[in-house]
Coordinates of all heavy atoms in Angstrom, one line a residue:
Q1 N 0.8 -1.3 0.0 CA 0.0 0.0 0.0 C 0.8 1.3 0.1 O 0.3 2.4 -0.1 CB -0.9 0.0 1.3 CG -2.0 -1.1 1.2 CD -2.9 -1.0 0.1 OE1 -3.2 0.1 -0.5 NE2 -3.6 -2.0 -0.4
G2 N 2.2 1.1 0.0 CA 3.1 2.3 0.1 C 3.3 2.9 1.4 O 3.9 4.0 1.5
R3 N 2.7 2.3 2.4 CA 2.9 2.9 3.8 C 4.4 2.6 4.3 O 4.7 3.3 5.4 CB 1.9 2.4 4.8 CG 0.5 2.9 4.3 CD -0.6 2.5 5.4 NE -0.8 1.0 5.6 CZ -1.7 0.4 4.9 NH1 -2.5 0.9 4.1 NH2 -1.7 -1.0 5.0
L4 N 5.1 1.7 3.8 CA 6.3 1.3 4.3 C 7.2 1.1 3.0 O 6.8 0.4 2.1 CB 6.4 0.1 5.2 CG 7.6 -0.5 5.7 CD1 8.3 0.5 6.6 CD2 7.5 -1.8 6.4
Q5 N 8.5 1.6 3.1 CA 9.4 1.5 2.0 C 10.4 0.3 2.3 O 11.1 0.4 3.3 CB 10.1 2.8 1.7 CG 10.9 2.8 0.5 CD 10.2 2.7 -0.9 OE1 9.1 3.2 -0.9 NE2 10.6 2.1 -1.9
L6 N 10.5 -0.6 1.3 CA 11.5 -1.6 1.5 C 12.7 -1.1 0.7 O 12.8 -1.4 -0.6 CB 11.1 -3.0 1.0 CG 12.0 -4.2 1.2 CD1 12.4 -4.3 2.7 CD2 11.4 -5.5 0.6
D7 N 13.6 -0.4 1.2 CA 14.6 0.2 0.5 C 15.6 -0.8 -0.1 O 16.0 -1.7 0.6 CB 15.5 1.1 1.4 CG 14.8 2.3 1.9 OD1 13.9 2.8 1.3 OD2 15.0 2.7 3.1
Q8 N 15.8 -0.6 -1.4 CA 16.7 -1.6 -2.1 C 18.2 -1.2 -1.8 O 19.1 -2.0 -1.9 CB 16.5 -1.5 -3.6 CG 15.1 -2.1 -4.0 CD 15.0 -2.3 -5.5 OE1 16.0 -2.3 -6.2 NE2 13.8 -2.7 -6.0
A9 N 18.5 0.1 -1.5 CA 19.9 0.5 -1.3 C 20.3 0.0 0.1 O 19.5 0.3 1.1 CB 20.0 2.0 -1.4
P10 N 21.4 -0.7 0.2 CA 21.8 -1.2 1.7 C 22.1 0.0 2.5 O 22.4 1.1 2.1 CB 23.1 -2.0 1.4 CG 22.9 -2.3 -0.1 CD 22.2 -1.3 -0.8
K11 N 21.7 -0.1 3.8 CA 22.0 0.9 4.8 C 22.4 0.4 6.1 O 22.2 -0.8 6.4 CB 20.7 1.7 5.0 CG 19.5 0.9 5.6 CD 18.3 1.8 5.7 CE 17.1 1.0 6.2 NZ 15.9 1.9 6.3
N12 N 23.1 1.2 6.8 CA 23.6 0.8 8.2 C 22.6 1.0 9.2 O 21.9 2.1 9.2 CB 24.9 1.7 8.5 CG 26.1 1.4 7.6 OD1 26.7 0.4 7.9 ND2 26.3 2.2 6.6
L13 N 22.4 0.1 10.1 CA 21.5 0.2 11.2 C 21.9 -0.7 12.3 O 22.7 -1.6 12.2 CB 19.9 0.0 10.8 CG 19.7 -1.2 9.9 CD1 19.6 -2.5 10.8 CD2 18.3 -1.1 9.2
V14 N 21.2 -0.6 13.4 CA 21.4 -1.6 14.5 C 20.2 -2.5 14.6 O 19.0 -2.1 14.6 CB 21.6 -0.9 15.9 CG1 21.6 -1.9 17.0 CG2 22.8 -0.1 15.9
A15 N 20.4 -3.8 14.5 CA 19.3 -4.8 14.5 C 19.7 -6.0 15.3 O 20.8 -6.1 15.7 CB 19.0 -5.2 13.0
T16 N 18.8 -6.8 15.5 CA 19.0 -8.0 16.2 C 18.8 -9.2 15.4 O 17.9 -9.4 14.6 CB 17.9 -8.1 17.4 OG1 18.2 -7.0 18.3 CG2 18.1 -9.5 18.2
V17 N 19.9 -10.2 15.5 CA 19.8 -11.4 14.7 C 19.7 -12.6 15.5 O 20.3 -12.8 16.6 CB 21.2 -11.6 13.9 CG1 21.2 -12.8 13.1 CG2 21.5 -10.3 13.2
L18 N 18.8 -13.5 15.1 CA 18.4 -14.8 15.8 C 18.9 -15.9 14.8 O 18.4 -16.0 13.7 CB 17.0 -14.9 16.2 CG 16.6 -16.2 16.9 CD1 15.3 -15.9 17.7 CD2 16.2 -17.3 15.9
F19 N 19.8 -16.8 15.3 CA 20.1 -17.9 14.4 C 19.5 -19.2 15.2 O 19.8 -19.3 16.3 CB 21.7 -18.1 14.3 CG 22.2 -17.6 13.1 CD1 22.9 -16.3 13.1 CD2 22.1 -18.1 11.9 CE1 23.4 -15.7 11.9 CE2 22.6 -17.7 10.7 CZ 23.2 -16.4 10.8
S20 N 18.9 -20.1 14.4 CA 18.5 -21.4 15.0 C 18.9 -22.5 14.1 O 19.1 -22.3 12.9 CB 17.0 -21.5 15.2 OG 16.3 -21.5 13.9
D21 N 19.1 -23.6 14.8 CA 19.7 -24.8 14.0 C 19.3 -26.1 14.7 O 19.3 -26.1 15.9 CB 21.2 -24.8 13.8 CG 21.7 -25.8 12.9 OD1 21.0 -26.1 11.9 OD2 22.9 -26.1 13.0
L22 N 18.8 -27.1 13.9 CA 18.4 -28.4 14.5 C 19.7 -29.2 14.7 O 20.6 -29.2 13.9 CB 17.5 -29.1 13.7 CG 16.1 -28.5 13.6 CD1 15.3 -29.3 12.6 CD2 15.4 -28.5 14.9
V23 N 19.8 -29.8 15.9 CA 21.0 -30.6 16.2 C 21.0 -32.0 15.5 O 20.0 -32.7 15.4 CB 21.0 -30.9 17.8 CG1 22.2 -31.8 18.2 CG2 21.0 -29.6 18.5
D24 N 22.1 -32.2 14.8 CA 22.4 -33.4 14.0 C 21.3 -33.8 13.0 O 21.1 -34.9 12.6 CB 22.4 -34.7 15.0 CG 23.6 -34.6 15.8 OD1 24.7 -34.1 15.3 OD2 23.6 -35.3 16.9
F25 N 20.7 -32.7 12.5 CA 19.6 -32.9 11.4 C 20.3 -33.4 10.1 O 19.7 -34.2 9.3 CB 18.8 -31.7 11.2 CG 17.6 -31.9 10.3 CD1 16.5 -32.5 10.9 CD2 17.6 -31.6 9.0 CE1 15.3 -32.8 10.1 CE2 16.5 -31.9 8.2 CZ 15.4 -32.5 8.7
T26 N 21.4 -33.0 9.8 CA 22.1 -33.5 8.6 C 22.4 -34.8 8.6 O 22.1 -35.6 7.6 CB 23.5 -32.7 8.4 OG1 23.3 -31.3 8.3 CG2 24.2 -33.2 7.1
R27 N 22.8 -35.4 9.7 CA 23.1 -36.9 9.9 C 21.7 -37.6 9.8 O 21.5 -38.6 9.2 CB 23.6 -37.1 11.2 CG 23.8 -38.6 11.5 CD 24.2 -39.0 13.0 NE 23.3 -38.4 13.9 CZ 22.1 -38.9 14.2 NH1 21.8 -40.1 13.6 NH2 21.3 -38.4 15.1
L28 N 20.6 -37.0 10.5 CA 19.4 -37.6 10.5 C 18.8 -37.7 9.0 O 18.1 -38.7 8.6 CB 18.4 -36.8 11.4 CG 17.0 -37.4 11.5 CD1 17.0 -38.8 12.2 CD2 16.1 -36.4 12.4
S29 N 18.9 -36.6 8.3 CA 18.4 -36.5 6.9 C 19.0 -37.6 6.0 O 18.3 -38.1 5.1 CB 18.5 -35.2 6.3 OG 20.0 -34.9 6.2
S30 N 20.2 -38.1 6.3 CA 20.8 -39.1 5.5 C 20.3 -40.5 5.9 O 20.5 -41.4 5.1 CB 22.4 -39.0 5.7 OG 22.7 -39.4 7.0
E31 N 19.7 -40.6 6.9 CA 19.2 -41.9 7.5 C 17.7 -42.1 7.2 O 17.2 -43.2 7.0 CB 19.4 -42.0 9.0 CG 20.8 -42.0 9.5 CD 21.0 -42.0 11.0 OE1 19.9 -41.9 11.6 OE2 22.1 -42.0 11.5
L32 N 17.0 -40.9 7.0 CA 15.5 -41.0 6.8 C 15.2 -41.0 5.3 O 16.0 -40.5 4.5 CB 14.8 -39.8 7.3 CG 14.8 -39.6 8.9 CD1 14.1 -38.3 9.2 CD2 14.3 -40.8 9.5
R33 N 14.1 -41.7 4.9 CA 13.7 -41.6 3.5 C 13.2 -40.2 3.1 O 12.9 -39.4 4.0 CB 12.6 -42.6 3.3 CG 13.0 -44.0 3.6 CD 11.9 -45.0 3.2 NE 11.6 -45.0 1.8 CZ 10.8 -45.9 1.2 NH1 10.3 -46.9 1.8 NH2 10.5 -45.9 -0.1
A34 N 13.3 -39.8 1.9 CA 13.1 -38.4 1.4 C 11.7 -38.0 1.9 O 11.5 -36.9 2.4 CB 13.2 -38.3 0.0
E35 N 10.7 -38.9 1.7 CA 9.3 -38.4 2.1 C 9.2 -38.1 3.7 O 8.5 -37.1 3.9 CB 8.4 -39.5 1.7 CG 6.8 -39.2 2.1 CD 5.9 -40.3 1.7 OE1 6.3 -41.4 1.3 OE2 4.7 -40.1 2.0
R36 N 9.7 -38.9 4.4 CA 9.7 -38.7 5.9 C 10.3 -37.4 6.2 O 10.0 -36.6 7.0 CB 10.1 -39.9 6.7 CG 10.0 -39.7 8.2 CD 10.7 -40.9 8.9 NE 10.0 -42.2 8.6 CZ 10.3 -43.3 9.2 NH1 11.2 -43.3 10.1 NH2 9.6 -44.4 8.9
M37 N 11.6 -37.3 5.7 CA 12.4 -36.2 6.0 C 11.7 -34.9 5.6 O 11.8 -33.9 6.3 CB 13.8 -36.3 5.3 CG 14.8 -35.2 5.7 SD 14.7 -33.6 4.8 CE 15.3 -34.3 3.2
S38 N 11.1 -34.8 4.3 CA 10.5 -33.6 3.9 C 9.3 -33.3 4.7 O 9.0 -32.1 5.0 CB 10.2 -33.8 2.4 OG 9.1 -34.8 2.3
R39 N 8.5 -34.3 5.3 CA 7.3 -33.9 6.0 C 7.8 -33.3 7.4 O 7.2 -32.3 7.8 CB 6.6 -35.4 6.4 CG 5.8 -35.9 5.3 CD 5.1 -37.2 5.7 NE 4.3 -37.0 6.8 CZ 3.8 -38.1 7.5 NH1 4.0 -39.4 7.1 NH2 3.0 -37.8 8.5
I40 N 8.9 -33.9 8.0 CA 9.4 -33.3 9.2 C 9.9 -31.9 9.0 O 9.6 -31.0 9.7 CB 10.5 -34.2 9.7 CG1 9.9 -35.5 10.2 CG2 11.2 -33.5 10.9 CD1 11.0 -36.5 10.6
L41 N 10.7 -31.7 8.0 CA 11.3 -30.4 7.7 C 10.3 -29.3 7.3 O 10.3 -28.2 7.9 CB 12.4 -30.5 6.6 CG 13.2 -29.2 6.4 CD1 13.9 -28.6 7.7 CD2 14.2 -29.4 5.2
N42 N 9.4 -29.7 6.4 CA 8.3 -28.7 6.1 C 7.4 -28.3 7.3 O 7.1 -27.2 7.5 CB 7.5 -29.3 4.9 CG 8.2 -29.3 3.6 OD1 9.1 -28.5 3.4 ND2 7.9 -30.1 2.7
A43 N 7.1 -29.3 8.1 CA 6.3 -29.0 9.3 C 7.0 -28.1 10.3 O 6.4 -27.1 10.8 CB 5.9 -30.3 9.9
Y44 N 8.2 -28.4 10.4 CA 9.1 -27.6 11.3 C 9.2 -26.1 10.8 O 9.0 -25.2 11.6 CB 10.5 -28.2 11.4 CG 11.6 -27.3 12.0 CD1 11.6 -27.1 13.3 CD2 12.6 -26.8 11.1 CE1 12.6 -26.3 13.8 CE2 13.5 -26.0 11.7 CZ 13.6 -25.7 13.1 OH 14.5 -24.9 13.6
L45 N 9.6 -25.9 9.6 CA 9.8 -24.6 8.9 C 8.4 -23.8 9.0 O 8.4 -22.6 9.2 CB 10.4 -24.7 7.6 CG 11.8 -25.2 7.6 CD1 12.2 -25.3 6.0 CD2 12.7 -24.4 8.3

């Protein structure tokens, strides 16, 4: 609606970053079948 501008030009600011990661999911994904793994990951995300 034009009430907020998503500036394309990069700018300096102070922001907060949150990083999350599942423990040993890479190993688990190699053990699970693709269908089961995708169900879990899609539900999680």
